[in-house]
Amino acid sequence: MSLGEFDLIAKYFDRPARRAALGIGDDCALLAVPPGMQLATSCDMLVEGRHFLSTVAPERLGHKALAVNLSDLAACGAEPLAFTLALALPHADEIFLDGFSRGLLALADVHGCELIGGDTTRGPLNICISVFGLVPVAGAGALLRSGAQVGDDLYVSGVLGDARLALEVVRGTRSLADGDFDAVLRALEKPQPRVALGVALRGVASSAIDVSDGLLGDLHHVLQRSGVDAVVEVDALPCSVVLRAQPLTVQRLCSLTGGDDYELLFTAPPQHAQQVAAAGIASGVALTRIGRIVGRSGAASAAAGVAQTTLVDHDGRAVVHADASFDHFRT
Ligand code: ADP
Ligand code: MG
């Protein structure tokens, strides 16, 4: 006999609450917010065929579903607290549920982020997670997209472009040796949210965003919100050795517009350079300065209020690249 809805929840998702005042089992969960802190919350949906391939291992899918949400908390400098899971499943497939819940809860445990509730229904595979994190109300509070200032340095964590390279291989437009493919596929399927880095950058970075739709597109959101422009040194973009071995056009396509990187892109004033480096070391993540923030340029763009990113090579010469960031309704 197949598993019913409530048996399924009890077997795979219900665990004793430790941080929440009340977890799974009632009509609402209860979360206490300590004095001086506020809740940061975000929600991300993963749809089969759109955000993941049907071939992905359930354990990795569970990991990624939570990782993309934790990445949003990281971008705000929030410390993870709890999450809810809304799950539509075609049927109660126990092999799937076992792997999915293991991947999901293993990452949850790493970050002390507790599953406190959700909803389960039959339907095309669809995973929707809402996360809740804590961030101070005042002082070194939430990192926002709107804080970039003229003169700030622009940084990115980790490396860019591997997830996109993996997608190109899956689509059959590029090929890689097995070991190299495994490495980039891991970047696509098992991203590591930069939670500790986000927290360490509170009071240090002036703005931040996580790179989910491609560097140029996500940078554009920061620039629009902050009312500034940017200069990005394309030769400074951090890439893995696997991506470095690809033709320059592929390197640039993947690192500038790839998406699914889940690295943090942030700005900080030059006088914070040492604190930025310390935040990278403390959180065990490589940080690279990739450019700087400049004032709005060009009468036309200033009038239209549209931010511009100028790409330059290591000699400062302009590099032309079409901004083709991911957009669900255009791609
Ligand atoms: P309600 O009818 O009030 O929406 P349900 O009967 O759907 O509640 O769910 C029972 C309990 O199980 C609730 O506490 C709910 O938050 C929790 N729950 C349901 N689905 C999930 C899930 N996929 N993961 C975690 N908790 C879940
Ligand atoms: Mg209810």
Side-chain angles (χ1 to χ4, degrees):
M1 211 183 81
S2 77
L3 212 56
E5 177 185 335
F6 299 102
D7 302 325
L8 178 164
I9 296 166
K11 182 164 179 187
Y12 293 105
F13 299 116
D14 194 356
R15 301 194 306 176
R18 285 181 301 209
R19 300 188 72 191
L22 182 67
I24 290 174
D26 217 304
D27 291 301
C28 289
L30 299 173
L31 287 175
V33 180
M37 303 295 273
Q38 57 191 336
L39 274 184
T41 182
S42 176
C43 165
D44 252 314
M45 181 157 61
L46 271 75
V47 175
E48 183 168 15
R50 191 77 198 162
H51 300 95
F52 61 91
L53 307 162
S54 55
T55 51
V56 66
E59 202 170 338
R60 285 193 167 187
L61 186 58
H63 173 101
K64 185 163 177 176
L66 182 58
V68 302
N69 280 280
L70 291 175
S71 181
D72 283 323
L73 289 184
C76 286
E79 184 210 328
L81 175 63
F83 70 104
T84 60
L85 168 68
L87 187 62
L89 289 171
H91 42 258
D93 174 348
E94 291 216 50
I95 294 177
F96 174 85
L97 282 163
D98 180 64
F100 178 81
S101 60
R102 272 192 289 111
L104 179 85
L105 297 175
L107 184 66
D109 286 345
V110 167
H111 294 284
C113 192
E114 192 159 89
L115 179 56
I116 55 166
D119 197 22
T120 307
T121 178
R122 188 191 287 264
L125 185 55
N126 188 329
I127 304 151
C128 186
I129 288 180
S130 294
V131 274
F132 305 90
L134 293 173
V135 72
V137 177
L143 301 172
L144 303 178
R145 297 178 178 184
S146 53
Q149 302 281 330
V150 173
D152 282 356
D153 290 316
L154 181 64
Y155 297 88
V156 72
S157 65
V159 294
L160 296 168
D162 279 357
R164 174 59 181 268
L165 181 58
L167 202 57
E168 296 293 326
V169 176
V170 170
R171 287 172 175 165
T173 54
R174 311 283 325 157
S175 62
L176 285 175
D178 284 356
D180 289 349
F181 177 57
D182 289 347
V184 294
L185 189 65
R186 195 180 167 80
L188 176 66
E189 294 183 344
K190 235 183 147 195
Q192 297 303 322
R194 303 306 191 187
V195 171
L197 176 63
V199 172
L201 286 174
R202 287 200 309 240
V204 176
S206 51
S207 74
I209 190 170
D210 66 319
V211 183
S212 54
D213 295 332
L215 180 83
L216 286 182
D218 288 318
L219 173 59
H220 189 77
H221 294 313
V222 170
L223 302 181
Q224 283 294 101
R225 286 252 163 191
S226 300
V228 293
D229 282 359
V231 176
V232 170
E233 296 160 27
V234 287
D235 296 321
L237 295 176
C239 293
S240 68
V241 286
V242 177
L243 185 53
R244 274 277 174 256
Q246 294 292 310
L248 197 58
T249 51
V250 176
Q251 286 183 39
R252 288 190 176 161
L253 169 84
C254 291
S255 57
L256 286 169
T257 59
D260 259 353
D261 295 297
Y262 302 104
E263 295 296 348
L264 294 190
L265 174 68
F266 61 95
T267 57
Q271 62 270 26
H272 285 181
Q274 280 192 339
Q275 288 165 273
V276 168
I281 291 165
S283 55
V285 184
L287 300 179
T288 308
R289 182 186 171 279
I290 61 165
R292 63 184 196 280
I293 299 298
V294 296
R296 278 283 162 92
S297 63
S301 74
V306 178
Q308 282 191 352
T309 298
T310 305
L311 302 179
V312 298
D313 66 12
H314 54 260
D315 293 324
R317 283 188 303 244
V319 171
V320 179
H321 188 281
D323 177 359
S325 281
F326 196 81
D327 178 324
H328 279 289
F329 292 98
R330 293 210 171 117
T331 316

